[in-house]
């Protein structure tokens, strides 16, 4: 599911990434895919451009919305309007009536927030 996939992405990073996923269940597959793509792009940018020493990913679900926050303590300067991969993430989220904001002042930190409307499937019990 999304939680495991995001945790796997975080483990592959060259810096420590704290992952928080305080909900059970799974979003619908297209929403899960869009969320994964968004987190993957953010982490790729952190690895390539931020100079960060630490990063975090918070996933939450409340009031029928999947909320994702990806942040780092790097140099900042990330922009949605630069024609970058972040713009592609924004377009992908918009296809599902999702939103994305980027706060990344020069000197950091960078925080990307994504939201997607969705319901979660009931968690399944392991045998």
């Amino acid at each position: 599911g999304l939680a495991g996939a995001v945790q796997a992405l975080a483990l592959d990073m060259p810096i420590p990434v704290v992952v928080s996923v305080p909900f059970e269940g799974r979003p619908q597959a297209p929403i899960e895919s869009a969320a994964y793509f968004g987190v993957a792009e953010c982490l790729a940018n952190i690895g390539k451009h931020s100079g960060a020493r630490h990063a975090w990913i918070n996933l939450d679900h409340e009031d029928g919305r999947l909320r994702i926050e990806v942040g780092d303590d790097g140099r900042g300067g990330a922009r949605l309007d630069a024609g970058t991969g972040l713009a592609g993430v924004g377009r992908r989220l918009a296809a599902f009536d999702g939103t994305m904001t980027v706060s990344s002042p020069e000197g950091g930190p960078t925080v990307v927030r994504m939201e997607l409307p969705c319901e979660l499937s009931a968690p399944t019990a392991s045998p």
Side-chain angles (χ1 to χ4, degrees):
L2 181 60
V6 166
Q7 290 168 343
L9 286 171
L11 287 172
D12 200 34
M13 290 292 290
I15 61 171
V17 179
V18 175
V19 178
S20 172
V21 185
F23 63 86
E24 295 183 15
R26 290 181 67 175
Q28 301 89 343
I31 298 293
E32 200 168 52
S33 176
Y36 175 84
F37 177 79
V39 171
E41 180 63 29
C42 289
L43 290 179
N45 287 345
I46 290 169
K48 290 178 190 175
H49 307 296
S50 76
R53 294 187 326 229
H54 300 92
W56 66 89
I57 305 165
N58 296 322
L59 282 77
D60 197 12
H61 185 270
E62 188 176 323
D63 299 326
R65 297 192 70 78
L66 176 65
R67 293 181 174 93
I68 305 159
E69 178 181 274
V70 181
D72 68 68
D73 66 352
R75 66 177 64 98
R79 296 180 26 202
L80 269 175
D81 62 354
T84 64
L86 288 177
V89 171
R91 286 189 299 274
R92 183 174 287 208
L93 298 178
F96 298 101
D97 294 326
T99 61
M100 178 176 180
T101 61
V102 176
S103 173
S104 187
E106 292 299 326
T110 295
V111 179
V112 177
R113 290 184 178 91
M114 300 169 266
E115 285 195 17
L116 289 155
C118 77
E119 296 303 323
L120 298 178
S121 65
T124 56
S126 297

